Amino acid sequence: MTSFDTSPQLNVWRALLALSVVFVMLATTGWTALRSHGVQTPLQASLSSWEHGRLRGHPLPDPDAAPARLSRFFATLTAAERAALAHRYPLAVGNMNGAPVALRYRANRLALGRQRAVELKRMHDPRLTPVGQQDAGRRMHRYEQLMSSGRQILAFDPAASGRVAEVIGDLQSAQRVSVVVPGVDTDLLTFQRTNREYSAPVGMAQSLYAAERSASPATRTAVIAWADYTAPAGLGIESATGVRAAEGALRLNALLRALPGRAPVSLFCHSYGSVVCGVAAHLLPRRVADIAVAGSPGMRVEKAAHLHTWARVWAMRDATDWIQDVPYLELGGLGHGADPVSAAFGSRVLSARGAKGHGGYFEPGTESLLNFAEIGVGAYRSVHCARDDDACRMGLSGTATAGRA
């Protein structure tokens, strides 16, 4: 499930805050370490292989080089050479910021196919428990879905619970780009779902893309369903701290700085995803025009001005969203700061009418989705404010392709 989808035991959250010293001690003694040492993941193995590779007798560039440097490298290659690199190092190329997006799609399709074959074998491995075989089957089917015709996978990492990002629309020619940043319990298997589809990243992105096309048919848009960070699992110590948000913020900024073109970008950050966006805010590239948060537990600051960003900051919360009962404070590293929809915070507060709870902000027909779409296409004067004073539109123009208004 995505972004606190189930109704939580809020007393657990409060207990976590009250026992902050205990949990901070646990964190510092390594009890919350999630990464095993000494074993290479498939992505790490592919990157290591790339680092030892050569082309035309020369070493390949550092995969962590600046996106502009990598872009220039790929631009010097023939189509056959680019295809050969994608085939030889699919995970490395598929996750390489600076590689052409079409090549990343191709490389990730190859990587997905190879991981599908791995899981197909595991499904029938007698050394696995029935539960392990079932998990392999679920992953195998997810890989098949991601390989479906027309899908554009921008990032893919099969390690642990998995990370993935997908593009809806034409990223190369887009006049406006939207990035959906989801919250807790987001991983490879929850990236999309049939039940309550609009509470999962793929459903969110598809719904937003359709709403943007409806709001401004003449504006070329692209939406990225971005689950390319390790989100917290459930309501616990991870979701109460900013550790995962800090890691996610680095990855989010890396993505944004590698996007092709110069189209304005809007971030749509749900639940814990708003914590990620808050931590990332001060380093965002100037092309990021908007940060819109929904159902936020806080952005790790007390005021919008403390985000130190050029982007406009928008916030919304449905009246029936249980997240309003979470303590909006920070104590000993636990909690995420002030309420983004409070008057004191200073964001532009939008209507979320129709969202019906914590997971409904991207549901078609809701005012929350309509507001997201208007922001996504730059039609700022058309947004619906949460209050009657129109304060959320103050000082804005409303052209559909404007970067800042």
Side-chain angles (χ1 to χ4, degrees), residues 40-188:
Q40 278 196 328
T41 67
L43 175 55
Q44 289 169 342
S46 185
L47 288 168
S48 178
S49 181
W50 170 281
E51 288 169 349
H52 292 89
R54 299 181 73 84
L55 183 68
R56 302 176 187 171
H58 300 287
L60 296 172
D62 183 346
D64 291 323
R69 163 75 178 88
L70 292 169
S71 179
R72 288 193 297 270
F73 164 73
F74 282 103
T76 67
L77 306 183
T78 66
E81 287 172 331
R82 287 192 290 269
L85 289 177
H87 187 268
R88 188 176 302 170
Y89 315 104
L91 280 170
V93 175
N95 291 276
M96 193 172 293
N97 290 317
V101 293
L103 188 65
R104 291 180 67 170
Y105 300 157
R106 181 174 183 173
N108 282 319
R109 184 175 179 81
L110 289 169
L112 283 162
R114 295 179 188 182
Q115 289 302 129
R116 177 192 176 280
V118 169
E119 299 301 335
L120 190 58
K121 289 182 179 179
R122 293 183 69 242
M123 286 175 62
H124 306 288
D125 188 338
R127 294 170 297 179
L128 294 180
T129 65
V131 172
Q133 292 175 335
Q134 184 180 40
D135 180 68
R138 293 176 66 201
R139 281 179 165 257
M140 191 274 290
H141 289 301
R142 177 46 44 87
Y143 296 151
E144 284 185 340
Q145 290 174 329
L146 293 173
M147 292 174 66
S148 298
S149 177
R151 299 195 72 167
Q152 302 175 131
I153 306 305
L154 187 65
F156 166 60
D157 183 355
S161 58
R163 297 193 298 246
V164 62
E166 180 174 7
V167 176
I168 314 297
D170 187 344
L171 190 57
Q172 292 279 21
S173 67
Q175 296 169 294
R176 302 278 308 196
V177 176
S178 298
V179 181
V180 174
V181 183
V184 304
D185 288 330
T186 298
D187 56 29
L188 189 70

Side-chain angles (χ1 to χ4, degrees), residues 3-26:
S3 304
F4 293 92
D5 263 340
T6 55
S7 297
Q9 298 295 324
L10 292 177
N11 59 324
V12 174
W13 183 281
R14 294 188 176 97
L16 286 172
L17 292 173
L19 295 173
S20 60
V21 174
V22 176
F23 283 114
V24 168
M25 289 175 64
L26 290 178

Side-chain angles (χ1 to χ4, degrees), residues 352-389:
R353 188 175 303 158
K356 296 182 180 178
H358 191 65
Y361 293 97
F362 291 83
E363 287 277 349
T366 59
E367 211 157 82
S368 53
L369 177 63
L370 176 59
N371 275 328
F372 280 166
E374 300 288 11
I375 291 170
V377 299
Y380 302 111
R381 292 296 300 171
S382 298
V383 299
H384 294 74
C385 298
R387 305 179 182 99
D388 293 333
D389 56 9

Side-chain angles (χ1 to χ4, degrees), residues 265-328:
V265 176
S266 298
L267 304 181
F268 298 94
C269 320
H270 180 230
S271 197
Y272 190 87
S274 68
V275 186
V276 176
C277 292
V279 175
H282 71 288
L283 291 176
L284 293 175
R286 289 287 295 268
R287 67 186 292 186
V288 177
D290 307 283
I291 304 172
V293 304
S296 174
M299 300 180 74
R300 307 293 295 179
V301 293
E302 293 303 308
K303 294 180 180 296
H306 297 169
L307 293 170
H308 301 295
T309 179
W310 291 95
R312 285 170 290 269
V313 181
W314 310 81
M316 66 171 71
R317 185 176 64 222
D318 182 71
T320 62
D321 189 339
W322 60 262
I323 200 89
Q324 63 191 307
D325 296 322
V326 168
Y328 283 96

